[in-house]
Amino acid sequence: MALFKMREPRKFNHKYIFVDERKEKLDKIIENAKRDLGMLPPEEKNYSERIRGAFTGENSHVTRRRENGSRISSRTAVAALFVCAILFYFLIKGVWVF
């Protein structure tokens, strides 16, 4: 149901039809050789560790949401509202008399 879970769009995955694997391997070997000789700067391997959390420290609304872990979920709120509506309906109809 669309009310409870937002679907993620399909990822774009383009596969090339004409690929010269031999040329790619040779280019990679040449690039590694140039790095070993010092002609190219060393390659940084892990960018995600450097970037992770860089922007969240500046945003106060992100830090507040992370600190406040006791929020009620939307599913729980909808279920509670549904139960209250059913109880109210039965009270109005007079099925339960107190």
Side-chain angles (χ1 to χ4, degrees):
M1 293 172 69
L3 293 176
F4 301 112
K5 184 175 181 184
M6 295 295 294
R7 291 186 57 194
E8 224 177 279
R10 228 181 307 164
K11 306 242 184 321
F12 179 74
N13 187 12
H14 179 71
K15 296 192 190 302
Y16 293 103
I17 298 172
F18 302 105
V19 177
D20 191 3
E21 293 176 7
R22 182 176 176 265
K23 183 179 177 186
E24 287 180 358
K25 286 181 184 178
L26 286 174
D27 288 341
K28 187 72 171 171
I29 291 171
I30 290 171
E31 184 179 341
N32 287 338
K34 284 184 179 180
R35 286 194 197 285
D36 289 343
L37 293 174
M39 297 170 79
L40 293 176
E43 182 180 13
E44 286 192 36
K45 302 260 185 208
N46 197 354
Y47 295 109
S48 64
E49 292 300 321
R50 245 183 43 197
I51 296 174
R52 187 180 310 276
F55 301 107
T56 58
E58 302 298 321
N59 299 331
S60 60
H61 66 279
V62 175
T63 55
R64 265 186 277 134
R65 177 165 249 179
R66 203 176 326 141
E67 289 170 0
N68 188 7
S70 64
R71 296 193 114 177
I72 187 167
S73 70
S74 61
R75 288 182 182 174
T76 307
V78 169
L81 187 63
F82 184 70
V83 169
C84 288
I86 289 174
L87 289 174
F88 186 70
Y89 174 76
F90 283 124
L91 285 173
I92 294 294
K93 284 293 189 178
V95 175
W96 292 326
V97 178
F98 292 109

